[in-house]
């Protein structure tokens, strides 16, 4: 049975954008089925024999777009009574049910959402939501994986990967979602085959309600066991830009802590990159950061977009050894933080690059560099 995993974070990106490549060679027994007109986001997919997958229902045309603000997870399926409680809260404009759990794809534990493509598409950015071909492909049985899982994790577009009770699923697209740490999206039908619990996740659109206040009201209304993550949080007023000067003395890592973290990281040179790995022998990029800083007593959050908010940003020209470097490498979602490295000094960085590579020290690449963060243990411990 898959287990439920939710990562509550301070800042999340809500984009769900996709990248496709030319079709792979058809496997024996596969035929090409007609799909809606192609777009830059989706191409026609080769299908297995009809008995291998259920016939996909047509995806409904795009209706009104809804910006997601909160992602709610419960231990039991949402009932109509529970939905009514949330719907009646001040500021709630729209709700969307989904199935959420961690499942195994290609031997990797991946947090996955099973959705209704006809309605879930309205909660994605306009360019994605408008792609009829894309959502028809998901409805037909494809899995869309995040850019990091696909590109860095070595899941090639249009390849087929093992997926437990669902057999082998086709990687139909790279889809970077902002719903917690979700790295895969499938249809409800595929979710059933994967064994995902039904209707345990709820996407809430409340564009004019304070997200922190609404989160508390939802948890009170739904009771024990409810978890809420912010997605495109609505704040009461623009937040003051934080610089290092605004932080009190003692907010940052000591020289001793920096030395311990850097020594821990460099001790792992040559260890292989494995997507989702947290050490001590294999790592992904954020897993290496979390492990190394943990050796210095710093409680770092797990994933890149969480680590991005563990301290103030400083200019690259002022970067010190032990600062974190971040990149936005997702070509279809330029706002998403997709990679992190540790600044080593003298224009070099230490990082775990991608599948097929190892932990190494290399010159810093400033292409798509999002910024430099000076880690504050106090701030890092508060990120969920």
């Amino acid at each position: 049975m898959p287990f439920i995993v939710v990562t509550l974070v301070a800042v999340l990106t809500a984009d769900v954008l996709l990248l496709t490549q030319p079709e792979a060679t058809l496997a024996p027994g596969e035929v090409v089925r007609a799909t809606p007109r192609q777009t830059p986001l989706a191409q026609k997919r080769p299908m297995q024999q009809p008995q291998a997958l259920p016939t996909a229902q047509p995806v409904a045309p795009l209706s009104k777009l809804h910006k997601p603000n909160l992602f709610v997870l419960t231990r039991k399926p949402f009932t109509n009574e529970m939905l009514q409680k949330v719907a009646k809260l001040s500021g709630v404009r729209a709700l969307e049910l989904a199935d959420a759990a961690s499942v195994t794809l290609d031997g990797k534990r991946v947090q996955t959402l099973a959705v209704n493509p006809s309605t879930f598409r309205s909660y994605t950015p306009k360019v994605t939501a408008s792609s009829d071909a894309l959502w028809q492909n998901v409805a037909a049985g494809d899995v869309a994986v995040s850019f990091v899982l696909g590109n860095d994790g070595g899941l090639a577009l249009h390849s087929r990967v093992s997926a437990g009770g669902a057999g082998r699923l086709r990687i139909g697209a790279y889809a970077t979602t902002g719903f917690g740490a979700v790295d895969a999206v499938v249809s409800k039908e595929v979710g059933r085959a994967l064994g995902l619990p039904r209707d345990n996740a709820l996407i809430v659109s409340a564009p004019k309600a304070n997200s922190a206040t609404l989160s508390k009201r939802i948890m009170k209304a739904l009771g024990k066991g409810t978890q809420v993550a912010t997605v495109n949080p609505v704040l009461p007023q623009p937040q003051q830009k934080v610089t290092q000067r605004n932080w009190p003395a003692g907010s940052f890592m000591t020289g001793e802590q920096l030395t311990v973290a850097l020594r821990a990281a460099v001790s792992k040179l040559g260890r292989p990159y494995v997507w989702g790995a947290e050490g001590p022998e294999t790592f992904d990029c954020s897993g290496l950061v979390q492990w190394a800083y943990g050796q210095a007593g710093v409680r770092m959050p797990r994933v890149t977009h969480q680590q991005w908010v563990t301290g103030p940003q400083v200019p690259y020209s002022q970067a010190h050894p032990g600062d974190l470097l971040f990149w936005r490498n997702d070509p279809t979602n330029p706002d998403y933080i997709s990679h992190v490295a540790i600044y080593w000094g003298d224009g070099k960085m230490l990082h775990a690059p991608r599948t097929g590579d190892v932990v190494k020290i290399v010159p810093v690449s400033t292409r798509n560099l999002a910024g430099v963060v000076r880690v504050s243990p106090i701030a890092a411990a508060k990120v969920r």
Side-chain angles (χ1 to χ4, degrees), residues 297-367:
V298 179
R299 183 181 175 184
M300 289 291 289
R302 176 60 184 88
V303 293
T304 53
H305 55 262
Q306 294 174 303
Q307 294 174 357
W308 171 245
V309 293
T310 56
Q313 294 182 37
V314 298
Y316 173 63
S317 60
Q318 298 176 21
H320 295 163
D323 288 345
L324 298 182
L325 310 176
F326 293 88
W327 286 262
R328 294 185 171 106
N329 289 326
D330 188 337
T332 64
N333 188 358
D335 291 331
Y336 187 77
I337 300 295
S338 57
H339 190 65
V340 62
I342 301 169
Y343 187 64
W344 188 251
D346 195 27
K348 296 182 179 180
M349 64 184 188
L350 191 157
H351 72 149
R354 62 184 58 83
T355 294
D357 212 331
V358 298
V359 176
K360 60 176 62 174
I361 295 177
V362 296
V364 172
S365 171
T366 57
R367 182 181 181 184

Side-chain angles (χ1 to χ4, degrees), residues 8-13 69-71 178 180 211-212 215 228-234:
L8 303 183
V9 300
V11 177
L12 295 174
T13 305
N69 301 110
L70 298 174
F71 181 75
S211 295
S215 294
V228 182
T230 54
V231 181
N232 293 315
V234 178

Side-chain angles (χ1 to χ4, degrees), residues 74 77-89 95 97 202 218 220-223:
T74 59
F78 276 91
T79 63
N80 287 333
E81 180 182 2
M82 295 168 68
L83 293 174
Q84 286 298 321
K85 287 181 178 180
V86 177
K88 291 178 179 178
L89 294 175
L95 303 174
L97 279 173
L202 184 68
I218 289 175
K220 182 178 180 180
L222 298 182

